[in-house]
Amino acid sequence: MKVIRHDETHHDVCEIEADVLLQGELDGSYLSEDNRSIIPTDTVKNTVHFLAHDQLGTCRTSFAQVIGKHFLETYPHLAGAEIELRERKWDRLSIDGTPHPHAFAHSANGEFFSRGSFSRGQAPVLSSGIRGHLIMKTTQSGFEGYNICEFTTLPPTSDRVFATRLGAEWSFDSTATDYCSADAAILTAAHEVFANTYSPSVQRTLFEIGELALARVPHISRIELKMPNVHFLSLDLTKLSRPNQNAVLLPTDEPHGEIEAVITR
Amino acid sequence: MKVIRHDETHHDVCEIEADVLLQGELDGSYLSEDNRSIIPTDTVKNTVHFLAHDQLGTCRTSFAQVIGKHFLETYPHLAGAEIELRERKWDRLSIDGTPHPHAFAHSANGEFFSRGSFSRGQAPVLSSGIRGHLIMKTTQSGFEGYNICEFTTLPPTSDRVFATRLGAEWSFDSTATDYCSADAAILTAAHEVFANTYSPSVQRTLFEIGELALARVPHISRIELKMPNVHFLSLDLTKLSRPNQNAVLLPTDEPHGEIEAVITR
Amino acid sequence: MKVIRHDETHHDVCEIEADVLLQGELDGSYLSEDNRSIIPTDTVKNTVHFLAHDQLGTCRTSFAQVIGKHFLETYPHLAGAEIELRERKWDRLSIDGTPHPHAFAHSANGEFFSRGSFSRGQAPVLSSGIRGHLIMKTTQSGFEGYNICEFTTLPPTSDRVFATRLGAEWSFDSTATDYCSADAAILTAAHEVFANTYSPSVQRTLFEIGELALARVPHISRIELKMPNVHFLSLDLTKLSRPNQNAVLLPTDEPHGEIEAVITR
Amino acid sequence: MKVIRHDETHHDVCEIEADVLLQGELDGSYLSEDNRSIIPTDTVKNTVHFLAHDQLGTCRTSFAQVIGKHFLETYPHLAGAEIELRERKWDRLSIDGTPHPHAFAHSANGEFFSRGSFSRGQAPVLSSGIRGHLIMKTTQSGFEGYNICEFTTLPPTSDRVFATRLGAEWSFDSTATDYCSADAAILTAAHEVFANTYSPSVQRTLFEIGELALARVPHISRIELKMPNVHFLSLDLTKLSRPNQNAVLLPTDEPHGEIEAVITR
């Protein structure tokens, strides 16, 4: 975690967990006792801490670039690096309606991340996204007209609860610079489609989210979306003399549908 | 989960996980094969679903009362019941600045719960609280003047990061009715003390939170507070030529301090 | 973790996570900025490490005694200490049928723990136990003859799968010395009852385990048992032309029954 | 979970969690409200249950084949299927030294899985493996001679604790039939190399495990190994007058090294 001190009491924070995977001429250590090519985990850790000290601000995706560039420049025997940064988000506490200068609460609905893929001699490939963002709508969702076969038992419906742990990753093109604004705009687009559009299927809603994200943010070239169903099944209370009720539902983890797609321009 | 439909598109939701522990004349099933006293888990489950259908609104604590009362009234061989309800909170999605009538996002920083202890012939004891609410301040916290012994290695400080997973449980007296307002007022009190007051120790801040909660909400008789340290240790970058830095810190799960107290009127 | 070196290559290990909660004249730090009574977390951590260095062997329960005694003897303002030690068990790897002198695999089915309650001027109260030990029998279990009411939907059965995450804690009397043998004997007793006795209810099996544990190990005075149901429900494949099957079952986490009892001499 | 009843009291069990991902002509549901191509999650679930009823034995990998084949044969618009099966292993309880016919305990050190990749018109690609298998050796491991740079702070050592959560996946060639024996032989090979061979680096030990696995099991064509470090760091007790101790160590989750390789014939 980096504490960025604008003055004695006005601070920003950025807390990140980093994965750094290095590739290159590392065979020696696998094929023999020759460890000369190994950059120890401890050194990688120190490097990330050092770079955080000197260069980390509040932008996760920019810091992925700093790390990737450093490793390729410093170690000639490396051919590539894969960086993933996962952020624990902190929102300012609001006291009497005012954001506080140095007190924060964890913003916990899902986890933002950034990834960078670095290969010597090529432009880096940067992306960011979110995992596990739990959203739900209690109407304006149905599921009808699907494939019917001997294993079909699901009744069609034009009014169901639709909940999902949204996962998304968007890839920046080389013109992107304001990564944080892109992140916010895409999450807003997802919320708008999800809340305001009737969902005939998870598939359709997923695609419409992707379309709007690409329309709103010109600097992304593709978006990968995962929308696993978080099922809420209407409980059968027939034996308890409450038939055909659609008010009490059971959240059901498994089995769940796993709907995914990649949408490009 | 209960979906409360004000009209076709304007809904409230209340999602609860319930623990129901029953006590009474149940020895038979332990001492022999006589199961007559056992109220099966399946029946308890059905009962909670039925009561949710008929009586659950948006107030978790009131519903704990409904459940406890039902079991003592229905089964004469029971002497008591312990109910705990844990809520998965859903906030309305905000679209273009307006709360949406039926789209929600999970509010995930900690978990609210209510508990009721019911004994035949006595008034129920109700409480509610929160677990795992993660908050942090990046200055206005220190720790000095503590016990020194041969095992002391901690340096004193007047400026440290202070983070905790706040846990709290407040007990309602018999005059309480608006449980949800009490919950909100106590969390607000905790945030105010945490953000606005210099912390000389976790112990002192914890006690001040308890004092303010009792002052703000007359209908609670006691509050139990747990504030485990979520340590952020300043990294030693001396060997990397960045000595005495206080900007890059390492979140450290274990070991952690576990500070607790019960504060009563 | 302590590595106990019998010689250069023949080792034992004991890996423990410790909770230490201290009570006594600690009010000062809550009521004012006076921290003199606080023994910092960091000091407690150092103390546990130091005591592990000097006195930890392979017996978890004995080490709980060492820690509790140390704190009461060292700090006159303390009145009591609650110690809990949780062990990550390591079994020797078996290579060509022979236990290896210094290679181990994690033994992961549940977690053993020990607890000690220490009050100044009184004998310590020691206990140990296991949490989350998952066992299952696929027949020789039924559930019939239970309370019937308007909320009953469960059909009686004389042949069901019975699975549980066994939790148990046994309290040693002052004559106990060989705590590890007691732990092993009690787990063996639980397995024997569970495997070899028809179960008419979880309650009955739980009680029989308690009875046998008390009979086998004279140095324990009480045992607390928790046997939450891990339900395996026979799937209804009627619509798929496989009615009344009892071969394919669905493990179901929630809702589950939570059966508990304390059995004393 | 399937209970395989050899007779009334002698049973085998096989408990599996299945992922089924289908590919093919499914665009319609994404691009419009036309759901005709969707095979609902509920149908996939029913199918897996039905196939388990009719065809699941104790071999996970064979069942992956059954599922993959079924989907491609039943639905002409599918082009491919990716199946992953994760097994919750149950070992027989041993009572008085004898394996019990119908009582089991969870075998919890890691999770076995199988995967099948099915494409219409091509031979299926089958693999199996294990994730999260925690093993440790307390000596006969070192790490020296690695890359040194300005960010290096790690001291070299010829005697350290080496622990890892072994992950491995081995790919069967078309001649393989006895998948379970292969699984057991590869895990044995891993244990042998780990226990009996001095480790100059995680990399070297990982490669030697891969080599021995390929030598022992001719029906696998490749093995992917992941050996993340589970660090045990010797505690610095210098200030507590116990310098240079190498007996009390601290297990440290993060940061950790993540060493991976794919080894082929």
Side-chain angles (χ1 to χ4, degrees):
Chain A
M1 184 177 76
K2 177 85 170 278
V3 179
I4 298 150
R5 292 182 167 79
H6 305 296
D7 61 34
E8 209 172 298
T9 60
H10 181 206
H11 299 168
D12 271 308
V13 294
C14 186
E15 183 179 348
I16 280 174
E17 187 177 46
D19 289 353
V20 177
L21 289 178
L22 306 174
Q23 299 164 311
E25 296 288 334
L26 302 163
D27 284 4
S29 63
Y30 291 90
L31 302 179
S32 73
E33 302 205 359
D34 178 358
N35 289 343
R36 282 175 297 168
S37 63
I38 300 181
I39 302 161
T41 298
D42 189 73
T43 302
V44 174
K45 176 198 74 176
N46 286 342
T47 303
V48 172
H49 292 161
F50 178 88
L51 295 174
H53 180 278
D54 279 17
Q55 300 189 51
L56 177 58
T58 57
C59 179
R60 196 190 338 112
T61 309
S62 301
F63 190 56
Q65 269 190 305
V66 168
I67 298 174
K69 200 176 159 200
H70 170 91
F71 278 98
L72 289 193
E73 289 182 355
T74 307
Y75 305 97
H77 70 296
L78 294 183
E82 300 289 324
I83 313 296
E84 177 173 308
L85 306 181
R86 293 178 293 278
E87 183 166 0
R88 180 153 73 172
K89 281 268 189 190
W90 293 94
D91 290 338
R92 289 183 190 283
L93 275 180
S94 185
I95 305 294
D96 289 331
T98 307
H100 196 273
H102 58 259
F104 303 86
H106 179 31
S107 169
N109 189 6
E111 185 179 53
F112 278 100
F113 64 94
S114 294
R115 301 208 298 166
S117 183
F118 302 86
S119 298
R120 192 172 295 285
Q122 296 178 28
V125 180
L126 295 172
S127 61
S128 68
I130 193 168
R131 299 187 181 111
H133 182 65
L134 184 57
I135 51 178
M136 173 173 69
K137 61 193 296 186
T138 51
T139 186
Q140 291 296 304
S141 164
F143 190 44
E144 305 169 276
Y146 40 77
N147 185 292
I148 304 286
C149 68
E150 62 180 310
F151 299 107
T152 307
T153 58
L154 184 74
T157 178
S158 60
D159 192 5
R160 63 170 183 176
V161 169
F162 172 15
T164 186
R165 294 186 197 276
L166 176 69
E169 181 172 359
W170 40 93
S171 302
F172 295 106
D173 65 25
S174 59
T175 68
T177 52
D178 188 353
Y179 308 109
C180 287
S181 296
D183 293 355
I186 291 168
L187 196 59
T188 297
H191 286 170
E192 281 182 30
V193 170
F194 184 76
N196 289 341
T197 311
Y198 176 80
S199 171
S201 68
V202 179
Q203 283 83 345
R204 182 67 186 137
T205 300
L206 180 151
F207 191 79
E208 290 181 311
I209 289 173
E211 276 186 310
L212 188 59
L214 289 168
R216 288 271 175 84
V217 183
H219 301 297
I220 64 169
S221 55
R222 97 199 262 281
I223 181 167
E224 181 175 353
L225 288 155
K226 301 186 181 193
M227 293 177 65
N229 262 312
V230 177
H231 292 288
F232 283 83
L233 306 179
S234 180
L235 283 161
D236 181 359
L237 304 183
T238 307
K239 291 182 183 167
L240 307 177
S241 68
R242 296 293 183 272
N244 306 319
Q245 64 92 22
N246 190 25
V248 187
L249 304 104
L250 186 68
T252 306
D253 284 342
E254 301 296 346
H256 73 267
E258 184 73 35
I259 293 93
E260 307 182 0
V262 174
I263 302 158
T264 58
R265 294 196 185 275
Chain B
M1 183 177 75
K2 179 84 170 278
V3 179
I4 299 150
R5 292 181 167 80
H6 304 297
D7 61 33
E8 208 170 298
T9 59
H10 182 206
H11 299 170
D12 271 309
V13 295
C14 187
E15 183 179 348
I16 280 173
E17 187 176 47
D19 289 354
V20 177
L21 290 178
L22 306 174
Q23 299 164 310
E25 295 289 334
L26 302 163
D27 284 4
S29 64
Y30 290 91
L31 302 179
S32 73
E33 299 205 359
D34 179 357
N35 289 342
R36 282 176 297 170
S37 63
I38 300 181
I39 303 162
T41 298
D42 188 75
T43 302
V44 175
K45 174 198 74 175
N46 286 341
T47 303
V48 172
H49 292 161
F50 177 88
L51 295 174
H53 179 277
D54 280 17
Q55 300 188 52
L56 178 57
T58 56
C59 179
R60 193 190 343 110
T61 310
S62 300
F63 191 56
Q65 270 190 305
V66 168
I67 298 175
K69 200 176 159 201
H70 170 89
F71 278 98
L72 289 192
E73 289 182 356
T74 306
Y75 305 97
H77 69 296
L78 294 183
E82 300 290 325
I83 313 296
E84 177 173 308
L85 305 182
R86 292 177 294 278
E87 183 166 1
R88 180 154 70 172
K89 281 268 190 192
W90 294 95
D91 290 339
R92 290 184 189 283
L93 275 181
S94 186
I95 306 293
D96 289 331
T98 308
H100 196 273
H102 57 258
F104 302 86
H106 180 31
S107 169
N109 189 5
E111 186 179 54
F112 276 100
F113 64 93
S114 293
R115 302 208 298 166
S117 183
F118 302 87
S119 298
R120 193 172 293 286
Q122 296 179 28
V125 180
L126 294 172
S127 62
S128 67
I130 193 167
R131 298 186 183 113
H133 182 67
L134 183 57
I135 50 179
M136 172 173 71
K137 61 191 299 186
T138 51
T139 187
Q140 290 296 304
S141 165
F143 190 46
E144 306 170 274
Y146 40 77
N147 184 293
I148 304 284
C149 68
E150 62 180 308
F151 299 106
T152 306
T153 59
L154 184 75
T157 177
S158 60
D159 191 5
R160 63 170 185 177
V161 170
F162 171 16
T164 185
R165 293 186 198 277
L166 176 69
E169 180 171 359
W170 40 94
S171 303
F172 296 106
D173 66 25
S174 59
T175 67
T177 52
D178 189 353
Y179 307 109
C180 287
S181 296
D183 293 355
I186 291 167
L187 196 59
T188 297
H191 287 172
E192 281 182 31
V193 170
F194 184 76
N196 289 339
T197 312
Y198 176 81
S199 171
S201 68
V202 179
Q203 284 84 343
R204 182 66 185 138
T205 300
L206 181 151
F207 191 79
E208 290 181 311
I209 289 174
E211 277 186 309
L212 187 60
L214 288 167
R216 288 269 175 87
V217 183
H219 301 296
I220 64 168
S221 55
R222 98 200 261 281
I223 181 167
E224 181 174 353
L225 288 155
K226 300 187 181 193
M227 294 177 66
N229 262 313
V230 177
H231 292 289
F232 283 83
L233 306 179
S234 182
L235 283 161
D236 181 358
L237 304 183
T238 308
K239 290 183 184 168
L240 308 177
S241 68
R242 296 293 182 273
N244 306 319
Q245 64 93 22
N246 190 26
V248 187
L249 304 103
L250 186 69
T252 306
D253 284 343
E254 301 296 348
H256 72 267
E258 183 74 36
I259 293 96
E260 306 182 1
V262 174
I263 303 157
T264 59
R265 291 192 188 277
Chain C
M1 184 177 75
K2 178 84 170 277
V3 180
I4 298 150
R5 293 181 166 80
H6 304 297
D7 60 35
E8 208 172 300
T9 60
H10 181 205
H11 300 169
D12 271 308
V13 294
C14 187
E15 183 178 349
I16 280 172
E17 186 176 45
D19 289 353
V20 177
L21 290 178
L22 306 174
Q23 298 164 309
E25 296 289 335
L26 302 163
D27 285 3
S29 63
Y30 291 90
L31 303 179
S32 73
E33 301 205 358
D34 179 357
N35 289 341
R36 280 176 297 168
S37 63
I38 299 181
I39 302 162
T41 299
D42 188 73
T43 302
V44 175
K45 175 198 74 175
N46 287 341
T47 303
V48 172
H49 292 162
F50 177 88
L51 295 174
H53 179 278
D54 279 18
Q55 300 190 51
L56 177 58
T58 56
C59 179
R60 193 189 344 109
T61 309
S62 300
F63 190 56
Q65 269 190 306
V66 168
I67 298 175
K69 200 175 160 202
H70 170 89
F71 278 99
L72 289 192
E73 290 182 355
T74 307
Y75 305 98
H77 69 296
L78 294 183
E82 300 290 325
I83 314 295
E84 177 173 308
L85 306 181
R86 294 177 293 278
E87 184 166 0
R88 180 152 73 172
K89 280 269 189 190
W90 294 95
D91 289 339
R92 290 183 189 283
L93 275 181
S94 187
I95 305 293
D96 290 332
T98 306
H100 195 274
H102 58 258
F104 303 86
H106 179 32
S107 169
N109 188 6
E111 186 179 54
F112 277 100
F113 64 93
S114 294
R115 301 209 298 167
S117 182
F118 302 86
S119 298
R120 192 172 296 284
Q122 297 178 29
V125 179
L126 294 172
S127 61
S128 67
I130 193 167
R131 298 187 183 112
H133 182 66
L134 183 57
I135 50 178
M136 172 174 70
K137 62 192 297 186
T138 52
T139 187
Q140 291 295 305
S141 165
F143 190 45
E144 304 170 277
Y146 40 76
N147 185 293
I148 303 286
C149 68
E150 61 179 311
F151 298 106
T152 307
T153 58
L154 184 75
T157 178
S158 60
D159 192 4
R160 64 170 183 177
V161 169
F162 172 15
T164 186
R165 293 186 198 277
L166 176 69
E169 180 171 0
W170 39 93
S171 303
F172 295 106
D173 66 24
S174 60
T175 68
T177 52
D178 188 352
Y179 308 108
C180 287
S181 296
D183 294 354
I186 291 167
L187 196 60
T188 297
H191 286 171
E192 281 182 30
V193 169
F194 184 76
N196 290 339
T197 312
Y198 176 81
S199 171
S201 68
V202 179
Q203 283 84 345
R204 183 66 185 137
T205 300
L206 180 151
F207 191 79
E208 290 181 312
I209 288 174
E211 277 186 309
L212 188 59
L214 289 167
R216 288 269 176 86
V217 182
H219 301 296
I220 64 169
S221 55
R222 100 199 259 281
I223 180 166
E224 181 174 355
L225 288 155
K226 301 188 180 191
M227 293 176 67
N229 263 311
V230 177
H231 292 289
F232 283 84
L233 306 178
S234 181
L235 283 161
D236 181 359
L237 303 183
T238 307
K239 291 181 183 167
L240 308 177
S241 69
R242 297 294 182 273
N244 306 320
Q245 64 92 21
N246 190 25
V248 187
L249 304 104
L250 187 68
T252 305
D253 284 341
E254 302 297 346
H256 74 266
E258 183 74 35
I259 293 94
E260 307 181 2
V262 174
I263 303 157
T264 57
R265 293 191 187 276
Chain D
M1 184 177 76
K2 179 85 169 278
V3 179
I4 299 150
R5 291 182 167 79
H6 305 297
D7 61 34
E8 209 171 297
T9 59
H10 181 205
H11 299 169
D12 271 307
V13 295
C14 187
E15 183 178 348
I16 280 173
E17 187 177 44
D19 289 353
V20 177
L21 289 178
L22 306 174
Q23 299 165 308
E25 296 288 334
L26 302 163
D27 284 4
S29 63
Y30 290 91
L31 302 179
S32 73
E33 301 206 359
D34 179 357
N35 288 341
R36 281 176 297 169
S37 64
I38 300 181
I39 302 162
T41 298
D42 188 73
T43 302
V44 174
K45 174 199 73 176
N46 286 341
T47 303
V48 172
H49 292 161
F50 178 88
L51 294 175
H53 179 278
D54 280 17
Q55 299 189 52
L56 177 58
T58 55
C59 179
R60 195 189 342 108
T61 309
S62 300
F63 190 55
Q65 268 190 307
V66 168
I67 297 175
K69 201 175 158 199
H70 170 90
F71 278 98
L72 289 192
E73 288 182 356
T74 306
Y75 306 98
H77 69 296
L78 294 183
E82 300 289 324
I83 313 296
E84 177 172 308
L85 305 181
R86 293 177 292 278
E87 184 166 0
R88 182 153 71 172
K89 281 269 190 190
W90 293 95
D91 290 339
R92 291 182 189 284
L93 276 180
S94 187
I95 306 293
D96 289 333
T98 306
H100 196 274
H102 58 258
F104 304 86
H106 180 31
S107 169
N109 188 4
E111 185 180 51
F112 277 101
F113 64 94
S114 294
R115 301 208 299 166
S117 183
F118 302 86
S119 299
R120 193 171 295 284
Q122 298 178 27
V125 179
L126 295 172
S127 62
S128 68
I130 194 167
R131 298 187 183 112
H133 182 67
L134 184 56
I135 50 179
M136 172 175 68
K137 61 192 298 186
T138 51
T139 186
Q140 291 295 304
S141 164
F143 190 46
E144 306 170 274
Y146 40 77
N147 184 293
I148 304 286
C149 67
E150 62 180 309
F151 299 106
T152 305
T153 58
L154 184 75
T157 177
S158 60
D159 192 5
R160 63 170 184 177
V161 170
F162 171 16
T164 186
R165 295 186 197 276
L166 176 69
E169 180 172 359
W170 40 92
S171 303
F172 295 105
D173 66 25
S174 59
T175 68
T177 52
D178 189 352
Y179 308 108
C180 287
S181 296
D183 293 355
I186 292 167
L187 196 59
T188 297
H191 287 170
E192 282 181 31
V193 170
F194 184 77
N196 289 340
T197 312
Y198 176 80
S199 171
S201 68
V202 179
Q203 284 84 342
R204 182 68 186 136
T205 300
L206 180 152
F207 191 79
E208 291 180 312
I209 288 174
E211 278 186 309
L212 187 59
L214 289 167
R216 287 270 175 86
V217 182
H219 301 296
I220 64 168
S221 56
R222 100 199 258 282
I223 182 166
E224 181 174 354
L225 288 155
K226 300 187 180 191
M227 294 176 66
N229 263 313
V230 178
H231 292 288
F232 284 83
L233 306 179
S234 181
L235 284 161
D236 181 0
L237 303 183
T238 307
K239 291 181 185 169
L240 308 177
S241 69
R242 296 294 182 271
N244 306 319
Q245 65 94 20
N246 189 26
V248 186
L249 305 103
L250 186 68
T252 306
D253 284 342
E254 301 297 346
H256 73 267
E258 183 74 36
I259 293 95
E260 307 181 2
V262 175
I263 302 157
T264 59
R265 293 192 187 279

